[in-house]
């Protein structure tokens, strides 16, 4: 059974009442006879499990535009063999012979 909080508009007293969902809200304060107002509170939300982070909704194979431009600038464009230009400096073993 849910607990509802009420506040009396006349005397300002706050109190909690256990009521079923189908019960009608209280209208008058039993002590002073003033009008009552139901108090609502924001519900706390807790996100648990997968799917709540930006990285969870992306597929592993998709890349962003900035990722593609960075890979082209570094020469990692997926080409292999003689088509790919190499800007790699010769290693020490190649220069010693």
């Amino acid at each position: 059974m849910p607990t509802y909080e009420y506040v009396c508009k006349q005397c300002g007293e706050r109190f909690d009442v256990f009521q079923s969902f189908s019960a009608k809200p209280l209208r008058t304060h039993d002590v002073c006879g003033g009008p009552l107002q139901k108090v609502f509170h924001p519900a706390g939300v807790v996100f648990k499990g997968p799917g709540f982070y930006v990285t969870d909704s992306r597929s592993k194979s998709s890349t962003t535009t900035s990722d593609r431009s960075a890979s082209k600038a570094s020469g990692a464009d997926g080409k292999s063999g003689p088509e790919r230009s190499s800007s790699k400096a010769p290693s020490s073993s190649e220069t010693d012979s």
Side-chain angles (χ1 to χ4, degrees):
M1 196 172 326
T3 304
Y4 295 103
E5 183 178 354
Y6 287 91
V7 63
C8 178
K9 291 182 179 182
Q10 186 171 336
C11 68
E13 182 183 355
R14 290 178 171 256
F15 58 94
D16 295 332
V17 177
F18 293 106
Q19 290 181 304
S20 67
F21 289 109
S22 59
K24 292 185 178 184
L26 300 177
R27 298 286 180 203
T28 58
H29 191 204
D30 292 339
V31 177
C32 70
L36 292 175
Q37 180 179 4
K38 194 181 281 189
V39 179
F40 293 100
H41 298 282
V45 178
V46 178
F47 296 107
K48 291 185 178 182
F52 295 105
Y53 297 97
V54 174
T55 56
D56 289 345
S57 61
R58 295 184 187 162
S59 65
K60 301 288 182 194
S61 63
S62 69
T63 58
T64 62
T65 306
S66 61
D67 291 341
R68 284 188 222 121
S69 62
S71 67
K72 286 183 181 180
S74 67
D77 57 358
K79 294 182 181 178
S80 63
E83 302 157 0
R84 185 174 152 188
S85 64
S86 176
S87 61
K88 187 168 117 178
S91 66
S92 62
S93 63
E94 292 173 353
T95 57
D96 291 341
S97 43

